């Protein structure tokens, strides 16, 4: 454990980067995944099929391959995303690598977000919509008052699993030169081979804290949204 | 689209509007695809010389034998071991002894919350680097076994709990002991419910074998590197390797659906996403 404590600021920075990847691609995947889900449940059949194809393709592709696309194949096509390096948020320079990692994580996770949201919409009973039409609610009203609240509530647990998976998947960025937690652990072990167990336990605990924090906050949200059945 | 919670059956005007949207979005999709192909062509990525390795028997053999077969082997071994691991700890979580329950819970929770890659790196340093006994291949297998085993432990538990309680009551009533009830009554039925889930968990394992790239294990992702380093054909390599992964995974998914129809009937599959939290668990088929 010595190596962890003597390099504690480095470890914290690494987990900061992990959290950064998680937050940015978490928000990105929620947005893009919702768009895909709207395509999938919407009435336009072409978009329906396109979104279904997207989900099938990305769900069956290893995340690492998407990273390889972003890191190795895209530059050959002239997309380096280096323009992003001119952006700085609160004095912190965004690196091109960071942006590409977020893009890969977002594209991958969106497929799962889409499926989670779609299953939530499908979980609402058809009779509910019929009943709301029967009592004269307009489309907007039945959406706002009947369908969406139930769909959202049903969606919290699966979305949590997806976001927890995302938090753990940020570790894949290690293979592409991002000094996030997993890469930092590898570096520390390289220098202090005799403290392998301590370093591993410390980093594992770091990840467990992140995962538990996500689970607990989602549990709180779920409880607030809970409707008696 | 006939019965949806979100929309009523469309009338003539809505149908006309939807047709317009369909045409517009089809055009947009075609435009995007055309742009992608044009971009590939424009950057010279469609040249024959870049794609030639995938038509050369030596390279095909290299990709299939050193890549695909190794990947499948890793996935196969890790699922087999994961089933054993899952059985032990899934049953352990159902044990009447508090100590066994706690230990099983701790093990399962730990390996589910830690990223597979972190585990792989740890095992790589522990067992593989230098003159240690195991190859990176087995480090990948062990890491995936621990992770998928923990997921399957939860599935097993859910599967055992899904067997109607009357069955174990009846088994106790005819004088079976606890172990007998578990082994001869509950587990066989739980396994039957679980089999499709195990197969689709294999897709997860297969995808995760690619992470072995980081610890120099063999596999599909690993064979890509020497090829693109030699031919500078990064884009074709990425496309071909991804296509192989997708094809194999779709095949596994198909098998899972077949098995489910055979064994479970048209009933919903045991949803892994409902029992745990981990990557790709929302694998619905």
């Amino acid at each position: 454990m010595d190596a962890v404590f003597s390099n504690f600021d480095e470890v914290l920075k690494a987990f900061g980067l992990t959290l950064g990847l998680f937050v940015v691609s978490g928000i990105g995947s929620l947005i893009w995944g919702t768009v895909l889900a709207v395509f999938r449940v919407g009435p336009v059949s072409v978009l329906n099929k396109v979104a279904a194809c997207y989900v099938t393709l990305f769900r069956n592709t290893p995340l690492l391959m998407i990273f390889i696309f972003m890191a190795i194949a895209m530059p050959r096509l002239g997309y380096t995303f280096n323009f992003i390096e001119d952006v700085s948020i609160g004095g912190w320079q965004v690196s091109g690598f960071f942006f590409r990692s977020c893009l890969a994580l977002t594209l991958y996770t969106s497929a799962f977000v889409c499926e989670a949201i779609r299953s939530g919409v499908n979980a609402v009973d058809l009779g509910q919509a019929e009943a709301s039409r029967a009592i004269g609610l307009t489309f907007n009203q039945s959406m706002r008052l009947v369908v969406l609240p139930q769909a959202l509530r049903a969606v919290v647990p699966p979305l949590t699993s997806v976001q927890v998976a995302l938090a753990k998947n940020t570790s894949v960025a290690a293979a592409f030169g991002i000094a996030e937690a997993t890469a930092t652990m590898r570096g520390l072990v390289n220098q202090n081979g005799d403290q392998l167990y301590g370093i591993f336990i410390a980093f594992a605990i770091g990840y467990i804290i992140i995962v538990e924090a996500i689970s607990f906050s989602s549990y709180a949200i779920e409880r607030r949204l809970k409707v008696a059945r | 689209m006939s019965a949806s919670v979100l929309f009523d059956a469309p009338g003539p005007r809505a149908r006309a509007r939807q047709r317009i949207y369909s045409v517009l979005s089809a055009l947009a999709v075609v435009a995007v695809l055309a742009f992608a192909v044009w971009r590939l062509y424009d950057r010279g990525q469609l040249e024959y010389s870049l794609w030639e390795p995938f038509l050369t028997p030596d390279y095909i053999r290299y990709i299939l034998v050193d890549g695909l077969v190794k990947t499948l082997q890793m996935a196969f071994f890790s699922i087999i071991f994961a089933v054993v691991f899952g059985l032990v700890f899934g049953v352990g979580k159902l044990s009447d002894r508090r100590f066994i329950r706690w230990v099983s819970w701790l093990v399962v929770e730990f390996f589910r919350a830690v990223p597979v890659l972190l585990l792989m790196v740890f095992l790589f340093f522990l067992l593989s680097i230098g003159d240690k006994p195991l190859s990176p291949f087995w480090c990948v297998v062990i890491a995936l076994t621990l992770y998928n085993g923990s997921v399957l432990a939860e599935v097993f538990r859910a599967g055992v709990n899904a067997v109607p309680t009357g069955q174990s009551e009846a088994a106790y009533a005819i004088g079976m002991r606890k172990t007998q009830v578990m082994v001869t009554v509950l587990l066989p039925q739980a396994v039957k419910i679980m089999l499709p889930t195990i197969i689709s968990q294999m897709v997860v394992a297969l995808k995760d074998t690619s992470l072995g790239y980081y610890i120099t294990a063999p596999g599909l992702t690993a064979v890509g590197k020497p090829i693109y380093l030699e031919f500078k054909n990064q884009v074709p390599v990425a496309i071909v390797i991804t296509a192989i992964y997708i094809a194999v995974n779709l095949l596994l998914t198909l098998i899972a659906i077949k098995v489910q129809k055979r064994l479970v009937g048209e009933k919903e599959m045991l949803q892994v996403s409902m029992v745990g939290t981990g990557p790709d668990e929302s694998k619905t088929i």
Side-chain angles (χ1 to χ4, degrees), chain A residues 46 49-50 53-54 57-58 77 79, chain B residues 24-42 46 239:
Chain A
V46 176
K49 284 177 192 120
V50 169
C53 276
Y54 180 97
L57 287 182
F58 277 80
L77 295 173
Y79 296 104
Chain B
L24 284 180
S25 47
L27 283 177
V29 171
V30 170
V32 168
L33 288 180
F35 176 75
V37 173
W38 174 79
R39 191 83 193 183
L40 283 172
Y41 172 76
D42 189 45
L46 293 181
I239 293 174

Side-chain angles (χ1 to χ4, degrees), chain B residues 66-89:
Chain B
D66 287 335
L68 185 59
V69 172
K70 292 277 185 214
T71 291
L72 287 176
Q73 276 174 348
M74 284 193 274
F76 179 77
F77 281 128
S78 38
I79 278 296
I80 296 292
F81 295 149
V83 168
V84 176
F85 184 95
L87 260 177
V88 171
F89 286 94

Side-chain angles (χ1 to χ4, degrees), chain A residues 59-60 108 139 168 186, chain B residues 6 112 207 214 249 280:
Chain A
R59 227 168 39 169
N60 287 304
Y108 179 77
F139 178 75
K168 298 195 299 177
R186 192 181 175 153
Chain B
L6 299 179
R112 264 188 346 168
K207 279 163 60 180
Y214 194 47
N249 284 339
D280 314 339

Side-chain angles (χ1 to χ4, degrees), chain B residues 22 84 95 155-156 240 254 266:
Chain B
S22 287
V84 176
S95 167
V155 178
F156 259 113
V240 169
L254 220 66
E266 297 294 331

